[in-house]
Amino acid sequence: RKEVEQDPGPFNVPEGATVAFNCTYSNSASQSFFWYRQDCRKEPKLLMSVYSSGNEDGRFTAQLNRASQYISLLIRDSKLSDSATYLCVGYTSGGYQKVTFGIGTKLQVIP
Amino acid sequence: SAVISQKPSRDICQRGTSLTIQCQVDSQVTMMFWYRQQPGQSLTLIATANQGSEATYESGFVIDKFPISRPNLTFSTLTVSNMSPEDSSIYLCSVEGGESSGSYEQYFGPGTRLTVT
């Protein structure tokens, strides 16, 4: 089983829709989680950090459920510019730091 | 956040040759990371480059194939040696943001797109 698993999609949603991605992780020692956005042929860029209480940034909300070992990303009022691949990332520290990337979920917002 | 540049941005190389990729950061950082992203795949960590010590390689990656230099706190190189078409990939360097604050998010360079023929 992969340490960080995502549905690769693609998710095709109309402009203005709300879309949610889930990401599951297998390493219960993972401490921090992040969502990155990667545009085609570009490097990943940090979208949001996800800590125990979750967080919200404008149209984006990230939640962490440690009991079920999953992270979610909710995008409200989707824009065409939200089209990208969203990478779920888990961070484990404590002697040996390890960052694990999911394969990414591709989102295509259509007019 | 750190500003990271990489050179070259892309290259097409013949099998059997080697390519050295440079990564420059605009601030001093303790650790720099080298990743590979093959087509349709996620990022895979190759190694962690520490200034003043040998790089730490992940399982499946060896120093003979991917030698790394880290001469100072703002610069690192990754060499892809004796290339084969399977090495065709995007190679990215990254640093952890906010070392002083203990945050673990990573910032990436623009990547080097390597094609081996």
Side-chain angles (χ1 to χ4, degrees):
Chain A
R1 181 184 175 188
K2 294 180 182 176
E3 281 200 41
V4 176
E5 291 206 63
Q6 294 182 257
D7 181 347
F11 284 55
N12 298 314
V13 302
E15 202 173 359
T18 295
V19 61
F21 309 135
N22 279 342
C23 165
T24 58
Y25 64 95
S26 60
N27 186 353
S28 58
S30 296
Q31 296 173 294
S32 304
F33 300 91
F34 306 90
W35 285 102
Y36 282 74
R37 169 189 171 133
Q38 186 172 26
D39 292 288
C40 188
R41 294 180 172 267
K42 298 286 188 181
E43 73 274 21
K45 293 186 177 178
L46 180 67
L47 177 66
M48 299 179 75
S49 303
V50 189
Y51 298 113
S52 298
S53 56
N55 58 325
E56 181 174 323
D57 183 4
R59 298 182 294 110
F60 298 84
T61 301
Q63 294 282 347
L64 168 61
N65 185 320
R66 287 198 181 273
S68 301
Q69 294 189 192
Y70 78 83
I71 308 104
S72 63
L73 177 67
L74 181 78
I75 305 175
R76 291 178 294 275
D77 187 23
S78 299
K79 311 292 185 188
L80 296 177
S81 57
D82 294 332
S83 298
T85 296
Y86 291 84
L87 304 170
C88 174
V89 182
Y91 181 92
T92 306
S93 66
Y96 181 63
Q97 297 171 342
K98 184 176 180 181
V99 178
T100 305
F101 285 77
I103 195 170
T105 298
K106 186 172 183 178
L107 171 66
Q108 184 68 48
V109 181
I110 52 181
Chain B
S1 64
V3 176
I4 305 169
S5 60
Q6 281 185 238
K7 289 196 295 187
S9 59
R10 59 177 62 230
D11 208 340
I12 300 174
C13 302
Q14 290 190 339
R15 70 173 67 207
T17 62
S18 298
L19 176 72
T20 296
I21 303 167
Q22 299 179 6
C23 179
Q24 180 77 51
V25 189
D26 69 340
S27 57
Q28 294 185 338
V29 292
T30 306
M31 292 189 291
M32 295 175 73
F33 305 90
W34 287 99
Y35 286 85
R36 179 172 74 180
Q37 187 174 30
Q38 294 180 305
Q41 302 294 318
S42 189
L43 282 79
T44 301
L45 181 64
I46 298 171
T48 302
N50 306 300
Q51 199 274 330
S53 64
E54 282 199 2
T56 304
Y57 288 83
E58 297 298 305
S59 175
F61 298 97
V62 295
I63 188 171
D64 290 347
K65 176 67 176 177
F66 297 101
I68 286 172
S69 79
R70 185 77 201 276
N72 57 54
L73 291 173
T74 63
F75 186 79
S76 178
T77 68
L78 170 76
T79 298
V80 186
S81 303
N82 189 24
M83 288 184 284
S84 66
E86 292 72 35
D87 294 320
S88 298
S89 185
I90 300 172
Y91 291 86
L92 298 129
C93 71
S94 76
V95 302
E96 282 184 347
E99 286 193 357
S100 60
S101 65
S103 59
Y104 306 120
E105 61 263 27
Q106 298 210 337
Y107 297 93
F108 289 86
T112 296
R113 186 176 296 272
L114 171 63
T115 302
V116 184
T117 60

